[in-house]
Amino acid sequence: MVEIMLEGEVQESWLTGENHQILPTETQKNTCYVNALNTEYDSSEQYGLALARDILDRHSHIQVVNLAIEERPWTRVTTSSGAEHNHVFMKPKDPHKITSKMRVPRSGHAHIASGVDDLCLMKTTQSGFSGFIVDEYTTLQPVGGPGSANPDRIMCTELSANWEYCSGVMPSDGFKVTNAAILQTLLDVWGGDPQQGIYSKSVQQTAYRIATAILDNFPCIDAVTLTTPNIHHYRHELEPFGLENPNIVFQVRRTTPVVNLA
């Protein structure tokens, strides 16, 4: 999905109804298709830069092209023999989205932010939450701290992450490779060692670890923004029905902390 917002000398269409400055949305749609065919690219960032520059080159009254691009990747079907199918692909109904946003001016550097959206992550252990404010309206029970009856909890989020590239800097390995490496860093920090894991005192602490790891390991990145809605999984009490629930059945609720680091 491509969203285009144009800036420039278009005031007459708003003030007088004269449309000679308007690039119709139908034309913008066709421009997307033409550039998809004519552009050599392996990332949405490369495609977006080509699309924006094409619009600027052909319409001198437009000064800035703002783009927001979402990519939902397909994968080849693997057969029972382990071979990838020649022409059959699949994707989940609700896969995470690969995103890119850019502001491309007629002069000066383009500003590019890449990321992922709707990435659902879960830790089934090695997580707690305690020491928070308790007042007359608090019903939440601590997990993993002093006085806690529960040593552990499920930590789950549907994460949105954006990383902004330094102005005027193109990643030396290209956007596709760099973005994949950043996403892998995010996953590595979320989970920790594959056998031992890493303990998380809160989703906020984990989000901060992720953001700082990206900034520390990728000098081409200037800022990281993470939105981490905390999808709580509470053990559902089945004892009133004469049943014991040894952490098998859970009910789900969510809240939304945000981390923005630059």
Side-chain angles (χ1 to χ4, degrees), residues 52-73:
R53 287 166 181 158
D54 179 42
I55 293 173
L56 291 170
D57 287 345
R58 294 188 298 109
H59 302 282
S60 60
H61 70 291
I62 294 173
Q63 299 303 313
V64 178
V65 177
N66 297 285
L67 298 175
I69 303 174
E70 293 181 356
E71 178 184 350
R72 292 185 181 272

Side-chain angles (χ1 to χ4, degrees), residues 113 162-166 211 214-215 220-225 260-262:
N162 289 281
W163 43 91
E164 299 177 24
Y165 285 90
C166 297
I214 293 171
L215 292 172
C220 59
I221 299 302
D222 186 52
V224 178
T225 300
N260 190 341
L261 292 183

Side-chain angles (χ1 to χ4, degrees), residues 135-157:
D135 64 16
E136 61 268 34
Y137 303 129
T138 302
T139 58
L140 183 66
Q141 297 299 308
V143 176
S148 171
N150 304 308
D152 217 344
R153 68 166 184 167
I154 292 173
M155 186 172 78
C156 182
T157 185

Side-chain angles (χ1 to χ4, degrees), residues 205-225:
Q205 182 193 36
T206 296
Y208 185 80
R209 283 175 181 164
I210 290 170
T212 53
I214 293 171
L215 292 172
D216 289 343
N217 287 283
F218 298 90
C220 59
I221 299 302
D222 186 52
V224 178
T225 300

Side-chain angles (χ1 to χ4, degrees), residues 45 112 165 169-179 220-221:
E45 291 82 4
I112 301 173
Y165 285 90
V169 174
M170 296 295 175
S172 57
D173 292 329
F175 289 106
K176 184 176 182 179
V177 171
T178 303
N179 288 340
C220 59
I221 299 302

Side-chain angles (χ1 to χ4, degrees), residues 106-210:
R106 181 167 297 280
S107 59
H109 297 301
H111 298 274
I112 301 173
S114 303
V116 293
D117 200 5
D118 298 338
L119 180 61
C120 197
L121 295 173
M122 175 184 286
K123 281 169 64 79
T124 58
T125 187
Q126 291 272 43
S127 178
F129 187 59
S130 63
F132 49 82
I133 294 172
V134 176
D135 64 16
E136 61 268 34
Y137 303 129
T138 302
T139 58
L140 183 66
Q141 297 299 308
V143 176
S148 171
N150 304 308
D152 217 344
R153 68 166 184 167
I154 292 173
M155 186 172 78
C156 182
T157 185
E158 192 170 276
L159 178 144
S160 175
N162 289 281
W163 43 91
E164 299 177 24
Y165 285 90
C166 297
S167 180
V169 174
M170 296 295 175
S172 57
D173 292 329
F175 289 106
K176 184 176 182 179
V177 171
T178 303
N179 288 340
I182 291 173
L183 178 56
Q184 188 61 58
T185 298
L186 184 156
L187 297 174
D188 290 346
V189 176
W190 172 272
D193 179 85
Q195 298 301 320
Q196 302 299 322
I198 183 172
Y199 190 80
S200 172
K201 295 181 179 180
S202 67
V203 69
Q204 291 89 341
Q205 182 193 36
T206 296
Y208 185 80
R209 283 175 181 164
I210 290 170

